[in-house]
Amino acid sequence: GDIPTKGGLDLIERVLDDPSRFVTLIINSLWDDFNGRGPDSGVWWHNNLSSVAKETVRDISKLQSPTDLLPWLRLAGVRLRYDCYWPEIKPLIGFAFWAAFEEEHGVEILSDGDKVVGHGFAIDVIPFDLIK
C-alpha cells in the first residue's frame, strides 16, 4: 500500500527496460553460489551443486552452465523491497521464484539494479553483506 519512492520507480524502470539482463544476472549469480564462488548466500545450496542436481535433474552432468537452470526456475513475482531491517540500504527489487531445487520455500533473488545482492528462501532473503 505504500507509494514507491523515486529510487524504487527508477529501479522498476531499469528492470522493464532490459528484463533479459536480469535473467542473466540471476542465473549467473545462482550458478556461482551453487559452485561456491562469490558471496555465500548462507543457504544449503551454497557450494552444493551436486545436491541441487539431485533435487532437479537427478544427474549433475545435466547441469553444466547457468543456462541449464532456466527450466528449473519459474518467476512467481517481482516486488520492491523496502525493509525496516536494513533502512540504510536503497530500495531493492526482489524476484521470487518457484524453484525445482527448493520447492518448499521458493527462492528470492535481490538486486540493486546493477548486480545481485542476495539470494535465499522467498520472502526471507537478506542482502549478502548483512549475513553474519
Side-chain angles (χ1 to χ4, degrees), residues 5 16 31 44 53 60-61 66 71 76-78 83 89 94 100 128:
T5 64
L16 293 175
W31 186 255
W44 67 266
I60 198 165
S61 70
V78 179
D83 201 306
I89 296 176
F128 296 131

Side-chain angles (χ1 to χ4, degrees), residues 26-128:
I26 288 166
I27 61 173
N28 287 339
S29 183
L30 275 175
W31 186 255
D32 284 349
D33 199 23
F34 295 161
N35 287 284
R37 296 186 298 263
D40 186 343
S41 61
V43 291
W44 67 266
W45 61 70
H46 178 75
N47 201 23
N48 204 355
L49 181 62
S50 61
S51 290
V52 171
K54 286 178 191 170
E55 293 295 323
T56 56
V57 295
R58 312 288 191 266
D59 179 356
I60 198 165
S61 70
K62 293 182 180 175
L63 288 179
Q64 296 300 308
S65 74
T67 56
D68 294 336
L69 302 176
L70 291 171
W72 310 106
L73 295 166
R74 294 287 181 259
L75 187 64
V78 179
R79 65 189 176 122
L80 279 176
R81 294 287 307 263
Y82 299 95
D83 201 306
C84 61
Y85 297 112
W86 58 85
E88 68 282 357
I89 296 176
K90 64 184 178 179
L92 301 173
I93 195 131
F95 298 89
F97 294 91
W98 169 88
F101 61 91
E102 184 50 63
E103 291 183 274
E104 183 177 353
H105 300 103
V107 172
E108 187 169 359
I109 310 299
L110 295 178
S111 176
D112 64 3
D114 294 316
K115 63 189 174 305
V116 170
V117 298
H119 25 87
F121 301 127
I123 309 297
D124 204 24
V125 62
I126 61 171
F128 296 131

Side-chain angles (χ1 to χ4, degrees), residues 2-22 77-82 90-95 111-114:
D2 293 333
I3 297 172
T5 64
K6 173 153 177 24
L9 292 173
D10 290 345
L11 186 53
I12 291 169
E13 279 185 21
R14 291 182 75 184
V15 172
L16 293 175
D17 284 346
D18 192 2
S20 64
R21 179 177 167 273
F22 287 88
V78 179
R79 65 189 176 122
L80 279 176
R81 294 287 307 263
Y82 299 95
K90 64 184 178 179
L92 301 173
I93 195 131
F95 298 89
S111 176
D112 64 3
D114 294 316

